[in-house]
Amino acid sequence: MPTTVRQQGDISLAPPVCAAVQRCINPACAAEYPTSDTLISCRTCGSLLDVRYTWPHAGRSFPRDWSWVRSVPGPYGHPDASGVWKFRALLPFFDDVSRIVSIAEGRTILQRADGLAAHLGFTPGSLHLQYEGQNPSGSFKDNGMTAAFTHARMVGAKVCACASTGNTSASMAAYALQTDIKAVIFIGDGKIAYGKLSQALDYGALTLQVAGDFDTCLARVRFIAEKVPQAGVYLMNSVNPFRLEGQKTVMLRVLEGLGWQVPDWVVVPGGNLGNCSAFGKAFMELRELGLIDRVPRLAVINAHGARTLDRVYNELGCRWSAGNYFTDGTKQRVDAEYARMDAAGERASTIASAIEINRPVNLPKALRALEVMNGAGCSSFDPSGGVVRSVDDETIRHYKALVGRFGYGCEPASGASLAGAHILLNEGVIKPGQTVACVLTGHILKDPDVTVAYHTGLDAKSGKQPLPQGRPPGVYANPPVKVKDDLGDILRAMGVDTSTIDLASIGAVASAGKDY
Ligand code: F0G
């Protein structure tokens, strides 16, 4: 059952007085850098960075109702409209609200999915969907982009770039138009769904289609951002710690949707592992602040053809171990696994192109999140931490269609989270009655090809083809019905019993030139 959030705080929302730094996540290093620096990794040891705060309100008393979540007028009212910046007290790295770059992102809500719950055998009222496809660019990325662009503006960036499986690029291109920052996108050849590509192109971003996949593109753009200062690139991928600050708010909205109760489970698809990392950080901080005394258990769901985290966590047994990851040989084992994958020529391959990633850059942060989000204080508690599973493409297609059939609609990667939740319920890992929040990361219209192919058997990308004979195999396949332009045929196809209808005389009316 959900557990109540403790009495909460009086955080001043006037321009932040909170000290913010960038800090290396490796506790043995813990090097700190000012937020005015543009960094991709720690200059000392090369590890990922976090944005860390000295909370100004520590030790102050908190009102019960999270009343500190309230608006501060921005220059165009934008921060007030944003489901990210309404929580700005919890991401106070910005120096001035007027720098916030917002397109009213994050106005997403937690949906109680009772129909789906009943269909899948979850206890009524226990299954929830956090539908991030409702963001302005159609995916959860906007939560992070608004924060990263706010930082980019703080540091005077002129060019931003990202590698992308599609959604990051669509979001980045949209936000760049709110600024004078030029957008450059690196996409893998043939690796991006057309819904996402069409956004990047329409938004005018310079789009480089690189021969290779996402992992190739990210390595390239990261190198350019770090080693070619002449290019002046501000990197917008999720190695950017400011992006993850925005993505924390997805969890704040889950809590808000549950009346500030902590769910037992959060289930999220894993690609580059930025989202789950941000969720882990959100709960670390909420606990630090005394805003919660319990945390949900995390389930990260990989696609089978891109299951690096699943392998590293479940087969190699790699753990964060309070940061000893860097010193106890775990990091070396991950590096050795990458070397093995390279030697074997293993590349990611899945229909869920959004998570077709074999080298998740946030892997250490994801391991940290899996350690932090162990269900402590909830009925899902397990000291061994969160869980990781992978699901094959058929399963992804099936659950994606199921999400659609129950009225939500999502892209394939998002279907993985519902698939994972159901698998964990069947395994008995998720127990009946436990509250589950599944994050639906992207909108159904992001990848219409997969949806149309599922329902018709037609490969939409290969151009116009006659509909294949026979019914496609998917359980929820809903192919269009071919019908002649004939009144009787059409009515019968609609399920109308035409035996009692005088088709000849009403057919004559229809063909008498009337404009129906
Ligand atoms: N779901 C969708 C719809 C995504 O677009 C992504 C990532 C993920 C899940 C995985 O999230 O990387 O935080 O683990 N898409 C990235 C992109 C990589 O380039 O758009 P993650």
Side-chain angles (χ1 to χ4, degrees), residues 230-241:
Q230 299 84 338
V233 160
Y234 182 97
L235 190 65
M236 287 291 178
N237 281 101
S238 52
V239 281
N240 179 331

Side-chain angles (χ1 to χ4, degrees), residues 316-337:
L316 305 182
C318 294
R319 293 291 182 275
W320 171 249
S321 307
N324 290 325
Y325 169 88
F326 294 99
T327 48
D328 67 4
T330 308
K331 181 176 181 308
Q332 283 90 322
R333 281 194 287 144
V334 171
D335 290 344
E337 173 61 6

Side-chain angles (χ1 to χ4, degrees), residues 139-141 163-169 196 214 237-238 247 269-276 354-355 357 411 413-414 441-442:
S139 85
F140 73 93
K141 303 287 179 180
S164 184
T165 57
N167 283 324
T168 299
S169 58
K196 306 171 189 184
F214 172 84
N237 281 101
S238 52
Q247 288 175 219
N272 221 8
L273 306 178
N275 232 7
C276 60
I355 51 174
I357 296 171
E411 66 165 283
S414 314
T441 45

Side-chain angles (χ1 to χ4, degrees), residues 423-446:
I423 287 166
L424 291 167
L425 181 74
N426 289 339
E427 286 177 6
V429 176
I430 293 180
K431 304 267 184 320
Q434 291 183 332
T435 310
V436 181
C438 280
V439 183
L440 297 184
T441 45
H443 199 279
I444 185 174
L445 295 177
K446 288 284 190 171

